Amino acid sequence: MRMTRPPASEGLYDPRNEHDSCGIGFVVDIKNRKSHQPVRQGLEILSNLGHRGAVGADPLAGDGAGILVQIPDAFLRAECADLSIDLPPPGDYAVGMVFLPRDAHTRAQSEAALTQTIAAEGQSFLGWRDVPTDRSCLGRSVRPSEPVVRQAFIQRGPNCPDADAFERKLFVIRKQTHHAIWDRELLGSQQFYVASLSSRTLVYKGMILARNLGVYYPDLRDPRLESALALVHQRFSTNTFPSWALAHPFRYLCHNGEINTLRGNINWMLARRHNMQSDRLGADLDKLWPLIGDGASDSATFDNALELLLAAGYSLPHAMMLMVPEAWSDNPLMDPQRRAFYEYHAALMEPWDGPAAIAFTDGRQIGATLDRNGLRPARYLVTDDDQVIMASEMGVLPIPEEKIVRKWRLQPGKMLLIDLEQGRIVGDDEIKAQLAAAQPYQTWLDATQIRLQDLPAEIGPMAPDPHTLLHRQQAFGYTQEDLRAFLNPMALNGEDPIGSMGRDIPPAVLSDRPKLLYDYFKQKFAQVTNPPIDPIREELVMSLVSFIGPRPNLLDPHSAGNQKRLEVKRPILANVDLERIRRIEYHVDRAFRTRTLSICYPVERGADGMARALDDLCREAADVVRRGDNILILSDRSMDADHIAIPALLATAAVHHHLIRAGLRTEVGLVVETGETKRVHDFCLLAGYGAEAINPWLAFDTLSASLPRASVGAAVGTAPLLTETDAHEHYTKAISKGILKVMSKMGISTYQSYCGAQIFEAVGLAEEFVNHYFTGTQGVIEGVGLNEIAREAVTRHRQAFGDAPLYRDALDAGGELAFRIRGERHAWTPETVSLLQHAVRSGDYGQFKRYSRVMNDQSDHLRNLRGLFEFRFANPPLPLDEVEPASEMVKRLATGAMSFGSISWEAHTTLAIAMNRLGAKSNTGEGGEDPVRYIPLETGDSTRSAIKQVASGRFGVTAEYLVNADILQIKMAQGAKPGEGGQLPGHKVNDWIARVRHSTPGVGLISPPPHHDIYSIEDLAQLIFDLKNVNPKAAISVKLVSEIGVGTVAAGVAKAHADHVTISGEDGGTGASPLTSIHNAGSPWEIGLAETHQTLVRNHLRGRIAVQVDGGMRTGRDVVIGALLGADEFGFGTGALIAAGCVMMRKCHLNTCPVGVATQDPELRKRFPGQPAHVINFFTFLVQEVRELMAQLGFRTFDEMIGRADRLDMRRAIHHWKARGLDFTRLLAMPPVPPGVAVYHCEEQDHGLSGALDHRLIAQARPALEVRQPVRIETPVRNSDRTVGAMLSGQVARRYGHTGLPDDTIHIHLTGSAGQSFGAFLARGVTLELDGEANDYAGKGLSGGRIVVRPPTASHRRAEEHIIIGNTVLYGAIAGEFYARGVAGERFAVRNSGALAVVEGTGDHGCEYMTGGVVVVLGPTGRNFAAGMSGGIAYVLDGTSDFTRRANQAMVALEPLNDVEETLKGVASSEWSRLAQAELPDDGLRHDARRLQILVARHYLHTGSEPARRVLEHWREVLPQFVKIMPLDYRRALQEMQAKVRASARHDAAKTGLAVGA
Amino acid sequence: MGKPTGFLEIARHDHGYAPVAERVMHFRDFVAPLPEPRVREQAARCMDCGIPYCHRGCPVHNIIPDWNDLVYRGHWREALEVLHSTNNFPEFTGRICPAPCEASCTLNFNDQPVTIKDIECAIIDRGWAEGWVTPQIAAHRSGKRVAVIGSGPAGLACAQQLARAGHEVVVFEKNDRIGGLLRYGIPDFKLETRLIDRRLAQMRAEGVEFRPNSHVGADLSARALLAEFDAVVLAGGSEQPRDLNTPGRELHGIHFAMDFLTQQNRRVAGAKILGEDILATDKDVVVIGGGDTGSDCVGTSIRQGARSVTQLEIMPKPPLHENKLLTWPNWPLKLRTSTSHEEGCERDWAVTTQQFIGQDGRVTAIQLARLEWRESNGRQLMVDIPDSTFEIKADLVLLAMGFVHPVHTGMLQELGVALDPRGNIRAGEDDYQTSVNKIFAAGDMRRGQSLVVWAIREGRQCARAVDAYLMGQSTLPA
């Protein structure tokens, strides 16, 4: 199915890359009482969620909005009566909401197609109604796409005995009509779309601003239009190509989120065709194909699948649980029956994985569910007159407080369901318990599920002799580095290894060396539109469980069938496991028949023979499946001197796709037995292209042959350090962890849904080749095909079995990680580094030109894509002095983000001084900045970094830090490891770094993979808004990494009002990262930049946003190419660092940098040779070179040059055997530019700050700001008042720094529902006291202020049982206090580094990554409490004694409170207020009880909390119920610090003693 | 790889030498190697750089980090394999190479480079001692015949590589024994000739045929070789010494350094001395030329019992310490003091010879003048300092001012190969082909006078080029 047509793929823009996410909500009358009120309220929710939508270049063109209601029978009946249509009784007729083409002819044909299909399916067509519309509210850019909107009325035919049958028939009619019309390709036929066709529900939607929905459709304002429910949605899409069809709601749902595994889900649905049967649908099933609208949005696709499941007889909640299961596999809290339900269903369908809040309804039930990660907000309330209101945030409808009986939130993996027919809310437990009990799932499982480990043991083959091993390793592309840097370390440590300083080797397609096919694929990763996951700290949602073998019939909910399912705990099979599978037929009643297919072919057929070998393989695979074999093992074990192995990835993908096309794929399991895969990336690719399990036999053989020995230089014959079993197990574990990490950086939680999901882009593979074997994979530059890939395999085979002396006794050098003459080519070589360093140190421009000549010259060896570019110079050139002066141009330059901590103080300040002297910009990196740097040095130099980074760890991100910036850069991803977090081990956190980062010396610091306040594009818009509030003068920048689709993300970023976007190339990166990421994630900047520029121009957004490119910029030529491809600005990481003295040791992770750059070792730091002058010379030379090139190109100003890709050409004579196939046409395409549309950054974003509540607060707080005079302010607040207090705090910080004002100088009392980011970055001296509730991100970055949230005085609920603040509260808080009278959402106090907080309950992941401060929870917590918590203390009141099962104890100890006796006599209530005034005990190792008591007293004082009162009153009884959560790292660090203090005290005492003695 | 913190914990430790008083009494090697554990400790200092500058700094591209790590871990035999994969004769370079690798070692940034040369030497010495160095006899014969003319380091390396590729190789040497400069140019106290002999034994086993006393272009027609062989490699070295045309040059007692050094090596070997003895015994020796050959003359003179030895250099005295910021990782200009210098000699810089003064036809003194170097238009010009002339005693003058180019007369003239502007044979850097088909050139003959390690590199690369020329492609490592 295709949707209305977005612009055809031109240049690098591809509609497949679009993302959306949004605001959702519903209103429902539980008792199913229909009225116009829910409709009106639904529209009101939409207008109050306005900030969650996006507006593109055209202010009236929203990204889409819609509403779903029950069939408004009375209204329609009246309307139809006017049209002389006689409607049958309700339920017996359906309404189709139809978008019709404007072209009259096509419209007539479309209408005819619909009516004909209706008749053919045995129903009666009653007539058309023209839906009135008011197009005056449509944006100019939307108008051309506006369809004719008509409603079709259909009467139930006699072949449909009941309403369900009628709905199924309507589904069939809709599908058939769509296909009939779209397939004809008539003028405008793509406009045809049936928004809804049902006897129960009706959808009004379109490309309309949310607040205008009721304007465009006057129907919606008609009081006769009545419904008991309204489901609404406001879309924020990254692009603005109007698509009426893609507006939500769809027929059954609306969705806020992303389906990350979409490609795989589509493939698997396709693969099921032959395997699906439905007794409900019968023969109609076939009419539904193609089932899935490939090319539509993820939400639309999800809706397609959901429809099918419903039609097949699943209930709505059942289908949702099947598609979006909660995390069940290792959940100790889950009921066994429910686990059995999930485990049973796991084999039926792979999860549709990704962040999702989905609201769904069929008109009879309405509900919502959250994915297992809970990465989208959804809160709801219940009123005393039986209304439920659910929305992305609270405060969207004014509901009198006293009417509210329940306020809660949707929790990860949980479901909220309202059954209108039963007239009640069905709780998550009830629905699931009921469904879990509906069938004997455990019995079914026992009967059909086989676990691999339960099969009888088998014997695996042993490793061969060294010589054979060497041949095999060579044939499968092993290098010395594979052994040295990957296999051996993995076997020793069980970890995916770390490397440093990025990647500077050519993409595989440009390499002279035979590369493995894996190298041509790059991992995709989540940025902005969906969050990556932390696979370590949030392991509970991750699962590597894989099912091998045929899948049961998806469309049979009622019986187990007799299909057996084979489950493996992880997809990496030991040799013995593979043998178990090979022989399974004899163990399991012949339910499985395994067939091993060799993927090798005779050597004499050579490279040319591979195509036929593949064809034969695919044919044979399909044949054996048809004959009944149901597990295929693709094996290259038979590779030998006479047989070449087809690359395992190619064989796997080819067979996988062949079987999908044949509709056979779900009838067979695919296992790969290969010698070729060894690194994490290899396994991920096999998985991504369909391998359900993998046996890396040669990796195991290699490990067996080289078990590491215990001591350095131990003699041969001494016992190895590891047993063979251990080595294999460690390796398997390392690979497993690596796979989890790769999955999680795309936000995918389960192997099952990762399998076949193809989350890769091809860089340098011919489209024909990709389409054939890797169908559905994107790539933009063409490249090699089967011939070259085969030739590479043949070359390796020849090396292995040939006579070359070099390979007689040794593996190939590799040389990818470290420079080797015999290895891969690097950009940074002894020559280039020394030329550059000598040039900048001597100030010799001639020397610099030699450097850039060597760096740019790729005539002998290609190193990067731009090496293949040629300039189209102007004739004649300009005189150099007519080119814009260097002083202007340097403003476009910046150094890359490198934190103080990752590099030394000397290196960091040298870069800063140099950039400040130049008038360019340096970047703090993510580690905060020492405030001394805000003060200029005596020399007049400044060490202040103009760009301040805001990364996921938020270290040192205070209001003071933010106001001291010219640019605030939100790091969404970094080139070396996009989609991943980081970790600074405790031993690197010295006193200084700890102070700057506001953490504890010696305590490790973790940066989470996602920003926990950015799970989607509208969240990013929120953070941009937050930062802009604190520092309205700073430009806000968003740093992205190049991958396919980055342009669409950048468009979203522009629409989120960022002023600046950075596109980082994959080859950048300073500092340490996992090698898997350095080498395999992200794509070259040339591709990402070109896509970004083209997409922004196409969306008319380019002028609003500055585009910076970085990652491997090295010469003036690079800068000019960057500009021609569309960059305004340029970042230099490695180049600047080398100018400052870095010699590319690539040892940043070891703290042993011999030139004092990337080390904190005081001795090594003394060796730092860099001077600001060196860095200045580097940039001066660069600019000079740029100017020379500009003169040759004939550009006077830099702006003229931006985006002029027409001045680039592909080098004509490319002789390189691989590079020959490249095609840069799409890269160099220039999008059409209508007059008035900017192609470079020259406009201002409107940040919408003018309406901020803070303007008023600042005005009223003036006495406090100016003369520190205390002020009291009263104000109402509502959900559209976002980021309250931040702008005020910026004012405080500008004047008074982080110290702020005396406590409570500015006291603001607010009433109402506060919008998101309430009290963000609140400065010391400011108190926000809120009667009402707050939404997500309250107290973000709290910088010393105090926030109190308590229910309105009118509320009579037991506040401790209701939610009062949203998700991710106190994220990155530095200091201050927070008291909430009620329950918090998920991730309370995540990454708190110093705030004190008391709440009465929390959601999942409380205190995650916390590094300091104290948190008290006076009620139940969710799961995974204290995950990654390395510092600070938490006290939890564990009333139900099950906290231990909810805590993540990997890094913390749970223990009773100490020094209890200090408090045992309790405190009389009259003394509470004095108690609250008391200082908190300093000593973090002692006085728990006292500390807790004081905090509880403060909480009581501020909120009047009932639980607090109980605790204080019954202190002796309650105290033992508290659990103290103490991070182990933190305790050790505190003990060490105390020991140090004691030792120095002793030392002093001894000295004094001596003095006295003398 | 390696020990990450090794360089911080372990100081550089060089091998030792026998005391001067003892070593000047003989012509044998006087190095005192470090014991095995200490060598391994030194290897632990290698940082396994992401860019190993040494690897590039070394002309044969020794894979230094790899074998350092193997030595550190005690895997000596594997270390030897890696070492041999880039260098045919590490026992030569391990002794006499000035070690540009150590200059480019990252740790040289702080003047504490890894003792790369010592470790190299330890590896190969151990290899010989353990019997790990064995012939690598080609399994298949190509049937092609190659003549290599000259048996210095370039010729030998080239011959060995070609033999291993299965070609039939004949090495022609004009002298009575094989080894060229290695045997007759380098004093025994720096490189004992027995080290050469055992290599030759290995090469014999690998099928190389040696023909000493075969002076191509004199005794033998070069053109005839062309007919007989499928390819001919010219590796005859750069043997035309630079002369000093000052008044008195004709006086007796003024000799080219190489004549002097060769005689002593023959003497040590017990071979016949051709012509009159040139001996420094009881003489005031003046060595003109401040390079390595000059230094060899100093050491040899001292061992022969010279009364005094003075070495003169026309260039100014270089600085003691180079400016690392501007030189590393390149070979720096700095004052180098060899073991021979330590044995007792005067050195003087920025002096020029004005004339040799003689009595009875024998040289007795040299008249010198001081020079000043001035910069003019970016070029250094030397200017005599007025009134700075002085005289020093000299009854043996050794001219060690380098070599200008190969000897042109004889073979080169006969073959008619084209020369480059400096008078060396013109041949490509990749294909080593001269202007005449089938004829290749390598080593000093092609690149001009240089280091032994450069000669080995040229020999290896030339072998690869010849192999590719003969077979269409080559699997020989460069």
Side-chain angles (χ1 to χ4, degrees), chain A residues 247-482:
Chain A
H248 297 220
F250 294 97
R251 290 83 184 196
Y252 288 102
L253 60 83
C254 55
H255 167 215
N256 173 9
E258 285 267 321
I259 303 297
N260 298 328
T261 54
L262 187 68
R263 185 76 249 158
N265 295 122
I266 292 174
N267 281 346
W268 286 115
M269 286 304 285
L270 204 63
R272 284 195 174 86
R273 179 157 189 175
H274 287 254
N275 171 273
M276 282 201 293
Q277 278 158 14
S278 167
D279 53 351
R280 300 285 173 107
L281 284 160
D284 275 355
L285 179 59
D286 236 20
K287 299 180 191 166
L288 300 175
W289 288 92
L291 260 174
I292 300 285
D294 204 348
S297 70
D298 53 352
S299 314
T301 310
F302 188 97
D303 190 63
N304 290 155
L306 180 62
E307 274 186 306
L308 177 71
L309 294 177
L310 297 181
Y314 285 91
S315 71
L316 196 49
H318 192 169
M320 291 305 301
M321 283 170 76
L322 173 56
M323 292 178 72
V324 189
E326 64 185 305
W328 54 271
S329 65
D330 286 312
N331 185 350
L333 298 168
M334 188 178 278
D335 166 56
Q337 215 172 22
R338 195 194 293 185
R339 200 203 330 269
F341 171 92
Y342 280 121
E343 191 170 358
Y344 172 77
H345 284 87
L348 280 184
M349 190 182 220
E350 62 296 334
W352 292 59
D353 200 6
I358 296 175
F360 51 84
T361 181
D362 59 1
R364 297 171 301 172
Q365 289 181 319
I366 186 165
T369 192
L370 224 51
D371 69 280
R372 57 172 63 200
N373 286 295
L375 298 177
R376 285 289 191 275
R379 286 169 70 173
Y380 63 91
L381 58 82
V382 185
T383 66
D384 60 1
D385 57 356
D386 293 315
Q387 259 206 326
V388 176
I389 294 155
M390 195 282 306
S392 298
E393 56 190 74
M394 276 291 103
V396 290
L397 275 184
I399 304 291
E401 189 60 35
E402 56 276 16
K403 286 175 64 75
I404 300 172
V405 295
R406 172 99 172 128
K407 278 189 178 181
W408 202 241
R409 70 192 190 283
L410 221 46
Q411 293 163 269
K414 301 287 190 239
M415 195 181 286
L416 163 70
L417 188 74
I418 297 110
D419 190 312
L420 293 145
E421 290 179 346
Q422 294 180 39
R424 67 187 189 96
I425 300 175
V426 193
D428 179 74
D429 278 338
E430 186 185 339
I431 316 165
K432 291 180 178 170
Q434 202 186 341
L435 282 167
Q439 303 286 356
Y441 290 114
Q442 190 60 53
T443 318
W444 288 1
L445 268 179
D446 294 342
T448 57
Q449 189 99 319
I450 293 150
R451 288 187 186 80
L452 184 66
Q453 69 265 28
D454 297 339
L455 294 175
E458 288 283 350
I459 312 259
M462 74 185 282
D465 67 282
H467 217 65
T468 310
L469 180 68
L470 181 68
H471 287 325
R472 290 181 174 175
Q473 288 171 331
Q474 288 170 332
F476 287 118
Y478 273 67
T479 66
Q480 294 175 26
E481 278 177 342
D482 283 324

Side-chain angles (χ1 to χ4, degrees), chain B residues 31-345:
Chain B
V31 166
L34 292 183
E36 194 255 3
R38 300 294 300 279
V39 178
R40 286 175 54 184
E41 194 178 73
Q42 288 297 303
R45 298 182 66 241
C46 176
M47 299 187 289
D48 180 30
C49 302
I51 297 181
Y53 295 84
C54 55
H55 175 45
R56 178 66 176 263
C58 168
V60 292
H61 304 318
N62 274 340
I63 312 169
I64 293 159
D66 289 15
W67 44 255
N68 275 342
D69 182 61
L70 290 165
V71 167
Y72 162 54
R73 292 175 198 282
H75 304 314
W76 287 92
R77 188 164 190 166
E78 288 167 57
L80 179 66
E81 277 168 27
V82 179
L83 178 55
H84 264 153
S85 83
T86 54
N87 189 348
N88 295 61
F89 311 125
E91 64 272 40
F92 306 158
T93 48
R95 287 182 165 76
I96 54 154
C97 190
C101 53
E102 292 189 25
S104 58
C105 173
T106 304
L107 290 179
N108 185 39
F109 204 71
N110 290 75
D111 265 328
Q112 293 287 307
V114 176
T115 54
I116 299 172
K117 184 172 135 182
D118 268 12
I119 295 167
E120 176 182 32
C121 199
I123 295 170
I124 183 60
D125 284 356
R126 179 155 177 154
W128 281 109
E130 298 275 358
W132 294 333
V133 184
T134 51
Q136 295 176 35
I137 300 161
H140 304 278
R141 294 280 157 193
S142 67
K144 306 279 185 188
R145 303 190 73 220
V146 184
V148 175
I149 300 167
S151 69
L156 290 181
C158 188
Q160 183 164 51
Q161 291 297 95
L162 286 168
R164 289 175 178 178
H167 305 302
E168 194 183 324
V169 184
V170 181
V171 176
F172 295 88
E173 167 59 49
K174 67 175 184 289
N175 284 308
D176 56 344
R177 301 184 69 179
I178 297 294
L181 179 108
L182 291 167
R183 184 173 297 277
Y184 287 133
I186 298 169
D188 286 74
F189 60 83
K190 282 174 73 182
L191 182 71
E192 295 184 2
T193 48
R194 63 183 175 86
L195 301 181
I196 306 167
D197 295 339
R198 63 188 185 188
R199 268 296 167 194
L200 299 182
Q202 183 199 29
M203 290 175 67
R204 279 230 164 89
E206 287 166 348
V208 177
E209 187 187 333
F210 294 111
R211 293 204 197 147
N213 294 317
S214 306
H215 195 168
V216 179
D219 318 338
L220 259 156
S221 157
R223 293 229 152 252
L225 291 184
L226 276 184
E228 193 186 334
F229 290 90
D230 298 297
V232 174
V233 177
L234 308 181
S238 179
E239 294 197 327
Q240 188 72 55
R242 181 173 280 111
D243 207 346
L244 194 58
N245 291 316
T246 45
R249 171 65 182 86
E250 72 291 347
L251 289 168
H252 217 73
I254 302 174
H255 301 275
F256 285 117
M258 204 45 74
D259 295 338
F260 172 70
L261 294 174
T262 305
Q263 268 201 5
Q264 181 56 40
N265 279 20
R266 298 184 73 91
R267 211 170 276 125
V268 172
K272 209 172 88 192
I273 307 292
L274 307 167
E276 62 159 322
D277 275 344
I278 310 168
L279 280 169
T281 318
D282 296 331
K283 291 192 174 126
D284 290 309
V285 181
V286 175
V287 180
I288 300 180
D292 289 338
T293 306
S295 172
D296 290 347
C297 291
V298 170
T300 303
S301 300
I302 288 169
R303 279 167 182 70
Q304 288 181 354
R307 196 176 317 131
S308 74
V309 184
T310 306
Q311 190 181 12
L312 304 175
E313 169 57 50
I314 197 163
M315 300 295 289
K317 185 174 179 177
L320 266 173
H321 297 287
E322 73 274 31
N323 180 354
K324 299 278 188 200
L325 288 180
L326 296 181
T327 56
W328 181 86
N330 300 337
W331 181 250
L333 178 67
K334 65 185 243 186
L335 182 70
R336 295 169 199 279
T337 301
S338 70
T339 52
S340 294
H341 294 139
E342 289 166 353
E343 289 159 4
C345 95

Side-chain angles (χ1 to χ4, degrees), chain A residues 781-852:
Chain A
I781 53 168
E782 291 284 340
V784 299
L786 184 60
N787 283 344
E788 290 79 12
I789 296 296
R791 199 171 136 188
E792 292 184 302
V794 169
T795 308
R796 278 191 294 273
H797 192 267
R798 197 181 304 133
Q799 281 175 2
F801 296 101
D803 203 29
L806 209 48
Y807 299 111
R808 213 169 282 155
D809 299 305
L811 291 173
D812 184 79
E816 295 184 353
L817 307 178
F819 172 87
R820 291 287 184 273
I821 302 274
R822 284 179 188 153
E824 190 51 270
R825 305 282 155 186
H826 287 255
W828 292 112
T829 64
E831 193 181 10
T832 50
V833 171
S834 58
L835 280 172
L836 174 59
Q837 291 188 338
H838 296 168
V840 300
R841 287 165 182 168
S842 62
D844 179 352
Y845 182 60
Q847 179 92 333
F848 181 84
K849 293 295 282 184
R850 280 195 287 283
Y851 151 77
S852 63

